[in-house]
Amino acid sequence: MKLQPTQTAVGGQQAKKTGIKGAARQKVLAFASLIILILVFSLLSGNFFRFDNLVGIMLSTAVIGVLALGSTFVIITGGIDLSVGTVMTFSSVMAGVFITYWNGPVWVGVIGGILAGSLCGLVSGLMIAKMKIPPFIATLAVMMITKGLSLIISGTKPIYFTDKPIFNKLTMGSIPGWEIPNAVWIFLIASVIAGFILTKTIVGRYNFALGSNEEAARLSGVNTVFWKVVIYVMTGTFSGIAGIMMASRLNSAQPALGSGYELEAIAAVVIGGTSLSGGMGTILGTVIGALIMSVLTNGLRILSVAQDWQTVIVGLVIILAVYMDILRRRKNKS
Amino acid sequence: MNALLRLEGIEKSFPGVHALKQCKLELLPGEVHALVGENGAGKSTLMKIATGVYTKDAGRMVYKGEEIELPNTRAARDRGISMIHQELNLLPHLTIAQNIYLGREPRKLRCLVDDHEMNSRVSRQFEKMNLKLDPRMLVSELSVAKQQMVEIAKALSFRSEVLIMDEPTAALTETEIQDLFRMITQLKQQGVGIIYISHRMEELQQISDRITVMRDGAYVDTVETMNMDVDQIIRMMVGRELYEMESPTSFSPNAEKVLEVKGLSRGRELQNIHFNVKKGEILGFAGLMGAGRTEVARAIFGADPVDHGEILIRGKKAKIRGPHDAVRLGIGYLSEDRKRFGVLVDMDVASNIAIASYKRYRNMAGWMKEAHINRTAEHFVNSLSIKTPGIGQKVKFLSGGNQQKVAIGKWLTRDCDVLIFDEPTRGIDVGAKSEIYKLLETLAAEGKSIIMISSELPEILRMSHRIIVMCEGRITAELSAEEATQETIMKYATMRSQVM
Ligand SMILES: Nc1ncnc2c1ncn2[C@@H]1O[C@H](COP(=O)(O)OP(=O)(O)OP(=O)(O)O)[C@@H](O)[C@H]1O
Ligand SMILES: [Mg+2]
């Protein structure tokens, strides 16, 4: 092509820069709320800002955090996955089957458990992308199915991993010299990987494309059915990882656990500024969202706020966080 | 005569863009005032300020001798200022009538919607507009052209004193344009002031009384239409000479058939469509609105299923299950409906340009080669003169014509063998239009095959090597460049099938 360039186009650098600045400011804001929260609790109680308590917070964030990472992907497509909590349980039960029932090696159990999660994601993905069942319904069904299966397979009883102490070490052990449990590292690594997938790979770019205008993406030659399935498989895989972490931490697969976790994961994603209508969101936001949730629960517990009031307060915080995000967006627009 | 609406010294900036600099405009009652300028000149922005969509940074707005402020669109509408937007804004899951009366539904017993009254009001309106549409149809079932007519009907139903039309004819064909002009003449007689934005120069002569020209966000001049010819206006708009359209470049009629379509059928929409396009050829598709041209394009592209028919690429039968297959086989399709299907408005310019070609911009592990993508995007921003502060700008912040250029850039990046361009110059200014013509000719000369669907006959006539005319889902004629004239095309475009 030999079209003469004109003077109208200004260098791309400029806008790229302002774009990053805008995004950075959003993260700084979310980060600031987290810091404020930590400061407030530190002032109110001397027990809050102590190394072991902070490690405890990170540890309790780890499982929900990994679930939330996975949920971020589907939520950015404009979908939702209600099954992440019970898929997590299903994965830990499957790990129990491989390791305890069949006496298999630990690594088989770990990989098998994670793949069980991926498989659930595949099922949801196919129902949603191919059969066009709305995500809410499809994943609701998968949630009930996995919940039931976990109970059936385990005979409603916990499966213990006491024969294989190494399994517990996976998350509760730590690198010698560091007093931070592996679970925290796993969460951090998973976050980096998720962030990388979302911003640097094709799946990530298509993820945003699906969320912002699926039909336009399809007409650009994007195989929307395929990529949507891929995204649900990713979410399932993250749930699988969370399942293994959960089982390892409790040193047992608890078949009755898991319902309700999906809502906490969604809450973390939303507090992190990802829009439920799709098309925008960040992994860093989700990580901060998950941290805000557990700092809050932990802080309230240290201040001996009653369990039921804790739930009420978390609910209020969700409203506040999301409303602040909406206000900020409105300001950016005008 | 006292001005109906006067805008003075209007200023508006967006992050990174100084969109309006000391703009002015004066509208008299009963006047059709054309507003012209290149893509991104600031026409839509100025009009959005006049209707309360945006608030101005500085300047004065005087309406019927009184200075006004418009905090929102409601305030503008209450004063009798309404606008037909460049982008269609209808709700797809509501009916036509529900869309037109959204927010001001006629009621009975205070709380029930009087559907009957609403539908009959809309029917009456459509009758006046010579429009054959059922008000109870869902908007999602309408083509862009029909949606545009619904938008016009909606604006007319407000009984405004100032009516702003932002490229109302971009999606229309000749007959509907004439119907629209008739409506405009009637409104004029009632003393309504009309601001009319268009890139179709020949329309200005026909409909407007005065013309205001804008360039790069600034006011250039206001002139009487009678005293001007098209070339003078264009020179004021672009400030330079334009590429002259020549007769199409030659190509050998014996060239290889790149794409062959055989017996493509779907219900009444597509009836036994048969044609081919050769290497280096520009094949024009002419027809009236609803003739089935877009349906043919979408069927070839795999966007919609068909009942029968086959598609051959270089003589080999192609299996196209969806657009991704078509793209893999080297077919690109630029949709006529830019906002819904053409661009991803929430994503940036670079992602939009790369979206059809990511396979090329990734390494084995699926990482994107950002630097490579950005270089390509920069290249097209320059070569297509896309007016944007940078490749990181979200497409929704670009002007309509520049969004269209981004959509074109997407397919140029992909480097397809067969390009189906459905109304490629919709909403594009005269300068850019001639750039796009030149581009199409270059592509053809490089051996690409181009199918160009267009409702602008002069464009079809000057660009195509061969022209296919459609009517009611059938191909009614195939004309060589020599045989084709406006008259023959119109004759075949209206050749309705005999009622049996
Ligand atoms: N909401 C917005 N945010 C940022 N920039 C904007 C916004 N709206 C318009 N612009 C910029 O302002 C300039 C003027 O845009 P405008 O839409 O008024 O152009 P236009 O004259 O209507 O062009 P076209 O003929 O292509 O429709 C453009 O450079 C555009 O990118
Ligand atoms: Mg415009």
Side-chain angles (χ1 to χ4, degrees), chain A residues 3 200 205 213 218 220, chain B residues 303 340 351 358 368 383 410:
Chain A
L3 297 182
K200 297 284 176 220
R205 195 55 57 92
N213 186 341
R218 188 175 83 99
S220 301
Chain B
R340 254 199 309 170
S351 306
Y358 272 117
M368 294 181 295
S383 66
K410 166 174 82 180

Side-chain angles (χ1 to χ4, degrees), chain B residues 6 389 391 477:
Chain B
R6 202 163 55 233
I391 56 171

Side-chain angles (χ1 to χ4, degrees), chain B residues 282-389:
Chain B
I282 301 179
L283 178 67
F285 260 72
L288 299 179
M289 114 186 179
R293 296 165 301 164
T294 296
E295 283 74 10
V296 170
R298 287 179 57 99
I300 297 174
F301 193 58
D304 296 324
V306 291
D307 299 339
H308 334 268
E310 55 185 39
I311 291 162
L312 284 81
I313 294 176
R314 296 181 201 288
K316 266 207 308 259
K317 192 160 182 267
K319 192 157 188 250
I320 298 179
R321 285 157 303 186
H324 57 279
D325 282 334
V327 171
R328 197 168 34 77
L329 292 165
I331 304 176
Y333 169 62
L334 177 76
S335 168
E336 58 165 351
D337 192 341
R338 168 176 68 230
K339 189 178 174 190
R340 254 199 309 170
F341 305 139
V343 286
L344 296 151
V345 290
D346 289 322
M347 295 180 80
D348 61 20
V349 173
S351 306
N352 268 280
I353 284 181
I355 187 81
S357 321
Y358 272 117
K359 291 237 161 72
R360 190 156 9 115
Y361 297 122
R362 69 167 180 204
N363 64 11
M364 302 281 284
W367 301 26
M368 294 181 295
K369 300 176 184 161
E370 295 269 12
H372 197 162
I373 292 174
N374 291 348
R375 233 177 306 129
T376 312
E378 294 278 1
H379 168 77
F380 283 110
V381 163
N382 285 322
S383 66
L384 296 172
S385 330
I386 299 174
K387 200 170 176 197
T388 166

Side-chain angles (χ1 to χ4, degrees), chain B residues 40 43-45 86 166-167 197 199 399-401:
Chain B
K43 307 178 294 293
S44 300
T45 307
Q86 183 175 13
D166 197 350
E167 300 190 31
I197 302 179
H199 289 298
S399 80

Side-chain angles (χ1 to χ4, degrees), chain A residues 333, chain B residues 14-15 17 19-20 37-46 48 54 86 166-167 197 199 387-389 393 396-402 427 429:
Chain A
K333 241 186 205 162
Chain B
F14 298 107
V17 188
L20 295 177
E38 287 185 289
N39 294 133
K43 307 178 294 293
S44 300
T45 307
L46 184 62
K48 283 179 182 167
Y54 295 147
Q86 183 175 13
D166 197 350
E167 300 190 31
I197 302 179
H199 289 298
K387 200 170 176 197
T388 166
Q393 181 78 320
K396 66 174 159 201
F397 297 134
L398 301 191
S399 80
N402 285 301
D429 69 55

